[in-house]
Amino acid sequence: MSDEQSEFATNRRPLAVVTGASSGIGYELARLFAENGYDLVIAADRPLAEAEQAFTAQGAQVRSLQADLATEDGLRQLYALIQSSSRPVDALAANAGEGLGHAFLDQDFARWRHVVDTNITGTCLLLQLVGRDMRERGRGRILITGSIAGLMPGTFNAVYNGTKAFLDSFSWALRNELKDTGVTVTCLMPGATETEFFHRAGMDDTKAGAGKKDNPADVARTGFDAMMKGEGDVVHGAMNKMRAAMAAVTPESRLADMHRGMAEPGSGEEN
Ligand SMILES: NC(=O)c1ccc[n+]([C@@H]2O[C@H](COP(=O)([O-])OP(=O)(O)OC[C@H]3O[C@@H](n4cnc5c(N)ncnc54)[C@H](OP(=O)(O)O)[C@@H]3O)[C@@H](O)[C@H]2O)c1
């Protein structure tokens, strides 16, 4: 074990793992963990030097991994890094995720498969690996970044909304399976948030992409607080709470049509 590794292993501060910590909501979640006295293991698909430096400046010890979390290999690398820290994971923010705009029949197979593999398969594998350790220890907090998008059919973002419907549902099931184990599961359900998400999904010209969005720091705070309280799920913001309540009583056909209005390519140019 190197000096750096052994210093990390003997540290008494709690440890949080945050995926997708290079930008947006994940970056802000990691910042909050550091602010609250946690050390960090962070992962993303881009270099994390800048993020690592920022969280270190907050007093956290940080270990980072650049890997594609859509792949089993990427997830195994992340778990190996966690294990090599020789410290239990106190909190896991399974946050990495991506969207993909445009009509489903026009999407590239490799692109939409990557969305499924990142948002569902990679997230679930990480939850399983870290969750088993937490259950054995009888302690741990899990925060899954779902979305209010999971509450409605995602016309022109169909695969993405499907993956978030999976996570919104999965989160409650895992929470119930883990009741009485000391491990809590919380689902953070943001609405449109000002991150790189829409640009990367090719949705700049949509009404949702061009419209007003929530601040990622506020969204992360909502999720962090709910996780700390051990709540089951939390929708960020009053407007989104209203949208979530409305989705529960609106026919799917109507929701699909409303989503068209927000996500159809070119819809943002009418603003
Ligand atoms: N923005 C919104 O409106 C919104 C609304 C509801 C829910 N969400 C959810 O919030 C989460 C964070 O998204 P964001 O809005 O903060 O967007 P973002 O700024 O694009 O951040 C996404 C993060 O996930 C990482 N990531 C994505 N795919 C990855 C992969 N295959 N392997 C490794 N890392 C990967 C990215 O890493 P790289 O930097 O390496 O690419 C980045 O750190 C996602 O799960 C998203 O679905 C977003």
Side-chain angles (χ1 to χ4, degrees):
M1 204 183 262
S2 69
D3 285 353
E4 190 205 333
Q5 276 177 323
S6 86
E7 197 193 330
F8 198 88
T10 53
N11 201 319
R12 295 257 175 270
R13 288 157 54 101
L15 181 67
V17 175
V18 183
T19 65
S22 62
S23 66
I25 297 167
Y27 181 93
E28 296 297 339
L29 280 170
R31 213 178 46 75
L32 277 173
F33 277 113
E35 196 176 292
N36 284 273
Y38 284 73
D39 286 337
L40 288 163
V41 172
I42 55 174
D45 207 10
R46 276 179 298 183
L48 280 152
E50 201 186 307
E52 193 171 335
Q53 208 175 17
F55 308 141
T56 304
Q58 287 181 281
Q61 281 191 15
V62 186
R63 305 191 75 189
S64 70
L65 175 76
Q66 184 182 348
D68 184 355
L69 300 180
T71 65
E72 182 178 349
D73 184 54
L75 269 303
R76 300 270 175 209
Q77 280 183 53
L78 176 56
Y79 188 58
L81 179 65
I82 294 166
Q83 285 188 309
S84 76
S85 76
S86 306
R87 285 167 61 177
V89 175
D90 295 280
L92 166 64
N95 165 82
E98 58 181 349
L100 184 62
H102 293 270
F104 173 65
L105 295 185
D106 299 330
Q107 289 174 349
D108 176 58
F109 171 61
R111 286 289 309 276
W112 68 254
R113 182 182 185 165
H114 199 262
V115 173
V116 173
D117 288 347
T118 301
N119 298 7
I120 297 183
T121 315
T123 300
C124 287
L125 179 55
L126 183 63
L127 290 170
Q128 192 168 52
L129 293 170
V130 176
R132 282 176 181 156
D133 294 341
M134 286 180 168
R135 181 180 61 183
E136 195 175 317
R137 187 178 169 225
R139 237 178 110 180
R141 301 177 194 277
I142 294 174
L143 180 68
I144 298 172
T145 307
S147 176
I148 64 163
L151 306 176
M152 53 197 93
T155 312
F156 296 110
N157 212 354
V159 170
Y160 173 74
N161 282 38
T163 66
K164 290 295 162 171
F166 179 100
L167 288 179
D168 292 351
S169 163
F170 182 88
S171 170
W172 278 105
L174 183 62
R175 177 180 174 84
N176 195 276
E177 288 181 16
L178 290 174
K179 74 177 178 181
D180 308 325
T181 65
V183 182
T184 59
V185 181
T186 303
C187 186
L188 167 61
M189 300 167 76
T193 307
E194 197 63 66
T195 68
E196 298 178 19
F197 175 87
F198 288 96
H199 179 66
R200 299 171 105 189
M203 295 178 70
D204 285 334
D205 66 343
T206 64
K207 195 165 178 185
K212 190 172 170 335
K213 301 184 194 60
D214 295 320
N215 180 320
D218 297 340
V219 174
R221 165 66 69 187
T222 296
F224 185 86
D225 289 349
M227 180 199 68
M228 283 304 186
K229 287 187 209 147
E231 290 172 357
D233 70 5
V234 64
V235 173
H236 174 79
M239 279 300 287
N240 293 325
K241 285 191 171 72
M242 210 177 72
R243 287 187 186 107
M246 202 187 67
V249 295
T250 306
E252 299 289 310
S253 60
R254 175 79 192 111
L255 290 173
D257 213 36
M258 286 164 68
H259 204 278
R260 166 184 286 272
M262 294 189 294
E264 186 165 19
S267 56
E269 283 149 20
E270 293 149 24
N271 280 344

